[in-house]
Amino acid sequence: MSRVLIIESSARQQDSVSRQLTQTFISQWKAAHPADEISVRDLAINPVPHLDANLLGGWMKPVEQRNEVENASLERSNQLTDELLAADVLVMAAPMYNFAIPSTLKAWLDHVLRAGVTFKYTPTGPQGLLADKRAFVLTARGGIHAGGSTDHQEPYLRQVMGFIGIHDVTFIHAEGMNLGGDFQEKGLNQANAKLSQVA
């Protein structure tokens, strides 16, 4: 049995293409792996606070020097990191907002990229500690960006995933969602075709 952790980040609750992709992924994954455990963290419904002095204090101060707020911030970060550590498969649903990932997803990443927990520093440079995991990234984009200079999602997410040791990363892009007509239909068809091969 594998554990699958899904991270939703779309601000839309209705008419969200990335959420549609997530539901398709879940349906197909369950059909192929009925014994697997799937959990969903929705960063739109339960947003994670952005990196601040309280979280830094929770990470860096000795326990006897932390205040109540710093302890609570550390506890939240530990919970998020524990979820990631327990997962065998990570799925991030990431609509493109202003050419990048949603700030809610960035905030989650800031909590789980933890020195000594998900990566470590060595004499030869940083080393990721999650090499046994695989990841899928489901994106929804208004225009056509894959492989171009305006795509700041895939290069960034590949880098941060690699930084913590996850190099098996599959991207599934639904592009042209705001271009209407044939573009939208083609983008959805391509994304769904790739999803059908994932499970």
Side-chain angles (χ1 to χ4, degrees):
M1 183 192 81
S2 295
R3 294 180 178 176
V4 181
L5 173 62
I6 295 178
I7 304 297
E8 291 276 24
S9 63
S10 174
R12 294 183 179 188
Q13 294 300 309
Q14 304 294 328
D15 302 321
S16 166
V17 173
S18 66
R19 290 181 184 276
Q20 291 174 27
L21 296 178
T22 300
Q23 291 308 307
T24 300
F25 178 94
I26 291 174
S27 175
Q28 294 180 349
W29 192 272
K30 281 182 175 179
H33 310 276
D36 283 4
E37 178 183 307
I38 298 177
S39 60
V40 179
R41 176 167 287 278
D42 194 323
L43 300 175
I45 295 175
N46 295 300
V48 174
H50 290 282
L51 180 63
D52 60 10
N54 293 319
L55 181 55
L56 292 176
W59 283 344
M60 298 177 180
K61 289 182 181 179
V63 62
E64 65 274 7
Q65 294 180 17
R66 291 184 214 132
N67 62 37
E68 210 171 293
V69 179
E70 290 167 341
N71 278 326
S73 296
L74 176 60
E75 185 177 340
R76 182 189 303 111
S77 180
N78 287 342
Q79 179 185 4
L80 296 170
T81 307
D82 287 347
E83 286 178 351
L84 176 58
L85 291 173
D88 302 293
V89 179
L90 171 65
V91 180
M92 290 180 285
M96 178 178 276
Y97 292 162
N98 298 317
F99 305 104
I101 62 173
S103 64
T104 50
L105 181 55
K106 175 61 165 63
W108 179 81
L109 289 166
D110 286 339
H111 279 74
V112 301
L113 269 68
R114 296 264 304 270
V117 181
T118 55
F119 74 93
K120 66 180 179 179
Y121 291 108
T122 74
T124 57
Q127 177 184 335
L129 300 176
L130 307 185
D132 58 335
K133 303 183 189 302
R134 60 193 297 212
F136 298 93
V137 182
L138 316 178
T139 78
R141 296 150 169 214
I144 308 295
H145 302 278
S149 61
T150 56
D151 185 355
H152 305 293
Q153 286 185 314
E154 183 168 342
Y156 170 70
L157 290 173
R158 281 197 185 280
Q159 181 173 351
V160 296
M161 289 295 99
F163 186 72
I164 58 177
I166 304 176
H167 298 285
D168 184 356
V169 185
T170 300
F171 281 79
I172 297 173
H173 301 300
E175 296 205 293
M177 295 300 99
N178 291 343
L179 301 180
D182 293 342
F183 287 101
Q184 186 179 50
E185 183 179 359
K186 180 180 178 183
L188 283 172
N189 287 342
Q190 288 179 338
N192 284 322
K194 194 164 185 180
L195 269 175
S196 67
Q197 301 170 6
V198 162

